[in-house]
Amino acid sequence: MQFRHEIKHEISNLDVLVLRQRLRAVMVPDSHAKNGQYAVRSLYFDTLEDKALREKLDGTNIREKYRIRLYNNDPSVIHLERKFKRGGLGYKESTTLTLKQAQLIANGDIHWMTTSTDKVILGFYSRIRNEGLMAKVIVDYTREPFVFSPSNVRVTLDYNIRTALFCTDFLNPHCTTIPVSDSPCILEVKWDNFLPDVIRDMVQLGDRHNTAYSKYAACRMYD
């Protein structure tokens, strides 16, 4: 299990402009970005008692959550992801779903999972059966991703956070989304063993501090 260091800052639109220029000088855009960015859509799952949400709001040190994610509204590649957090470290397991499998999950049909040999799917199935995981909310946003090979550094600028109203059919292009009120832009920095000084210096923004801002928690306010 390879944990990665993760830090997150709430930043302004002006900060995004400044960082974009800095990062382009040293880092390269992620290969999946189109014109330097892509749209992210995630469907998050939680228990009936909102365990993942409560743990996030309470600042619980060890947390886990599941989501289904696609990029640029392209259903040809859909990911089921398990995110595991321990303090400032994060670990992600991911597997690819077919369009049919993703739609079945969105519809609440999980019986097909029992025949899978994929550990992420089987783990998800176990949480659904034992903890009652269910689709809770859609989270949309725009991401500008930058990568730096030494120490596998990834820096992202996220903004335009939106959420769906009373809709969890994340494959439906007509599912209405609205902007999340007062949502900031988010700077995220992730790396393996060390953060090179050149990157550390570039992402310094004066009095900005680490934040516990959660797109999932912010979007759940509209339930």
Side-chain angles (χ1 to χ4, degrees):
M1 182 180 293
Q2 175 63 56
F3 279 91
R4 282 165 60 78
H5 298 269
E6 300 181 4
I7 57 173
K8 186 185 299 185
H9 298 280
E10 294 184 30
I11 59 175
S12 68
N13 290 324
L14 178 58
D15 292 332
V16 170
L17 295 176
V18 172
L19 283 168
R20 182 183 293 138
Q21 295 305 313
R22 290 181 184 177
L23 295 170
R24 284 176 177 173
V26 176
M27 306 182 74
V28 297
D30 183 286
S31 60
H32 296 96
K34 298 180 179 179
N35 298 318
Q37 64 183 37
Y38 51 69
V40 181
R41 166 163 286 192
S42 299
L43 175 63
Y44 282 87
F45 295 79
D46 209 337
T47 67
L48 183 63
E49 299 80 16
D50 291 327
K51 178 183 177 183
L53 178 61
R54 288 189 293 102
E55 289 180 344
K56 176 60 181 179
L57 296 177
D58 293 342
T60 302
N61 189 55
I62 298 177
R63 306 188 303 275
E64 176 190 68
K65 63 174 177 267
Y66 280 89
R67 68 191 180 203
I68 298 177
R69 174 167 286 189
L70 56 78
Y71 301 93
N72 295 321
N73 295 313
D74 179 5
S76 65
V77 180
I78 304 174
H79 300 280
L80 170 64
E81 299 178 345
R82 170 186 176 254
K83 284 293 296 289
F84 184 81
K85 292 278 290 183
R86 186 176 65 196
L89 299 174
Y91 172 75
K92 181 172 72 175
E93 292 181 318
S94 178
T95 192
T96 302
L97 298 174
T98 66
L99 177 60
K100 179 180 179 180
Q101 289 172 335
Q103 190 64 68
L104 287 172
I105 293 173
N107 294 340
D109 184 344
I110 62 171
H111 300 293
W112 61 273
M113 294 184 186
T114 59
T115 61
S116 176
T117 58
D118 187 284
K119 67 176 184 178
V120 179
I121 291 176
L122 291 175
F124 186 45
Y125 176 78
S126 175
R127 298 302 189 278
I128 293 173
R129 296 294 297 175
N130 296 329
E131 300 180 16
L133 282 187
M134 63 184 72
K136 289 286 187 171
V137 71
I138 290 172
V139 177
D140 287 349
Y141 57 92
T142 301
R143 166 164 284 181
E144 294 186 32
F146 299 86
V147 295
F148 188 72
S149 295
S151 200
N152 190 23
V153 181
R154 182 176 178 84
V155 178
T156 56
L157 306 173
D158 297 340
Y159 48 87
N160 190 28
I161 303 170
R162 303 175 64 88
T163 187
L165 290 174
F166 316 114
C167 175
T168 56
D169 185 2
F170 84 119
L171 294 171
N172 180 357
H174 304 295
C175 187
T176 301
T177 62
I178 63 169
V180 173
S181 178
D182 299 322
S183 64
C185 302
I186 303 295
L187 163 69
E188 292 189 15
V189 185
K190 300 179 181 180
W191 69 95
D192 287 345
N193 299 316
F194 70 97
L195 182 60
D197 289 340
V198 63
I199 305 298
R200 188 185 303 275
D201 292 342
M202 280 195 302
V203 299
Q204 295 299 318
L205 290 168
D207 59 353
R208 306 301 187 273
H209 301 289
N210 286 8
T211 180
Y213 185 88
S214 165
K215 302 181 191 75
Y216 169 61
C219 290
R220 286 297 309 276
M221 293 178 62
Y222 291 81
D223 285 3

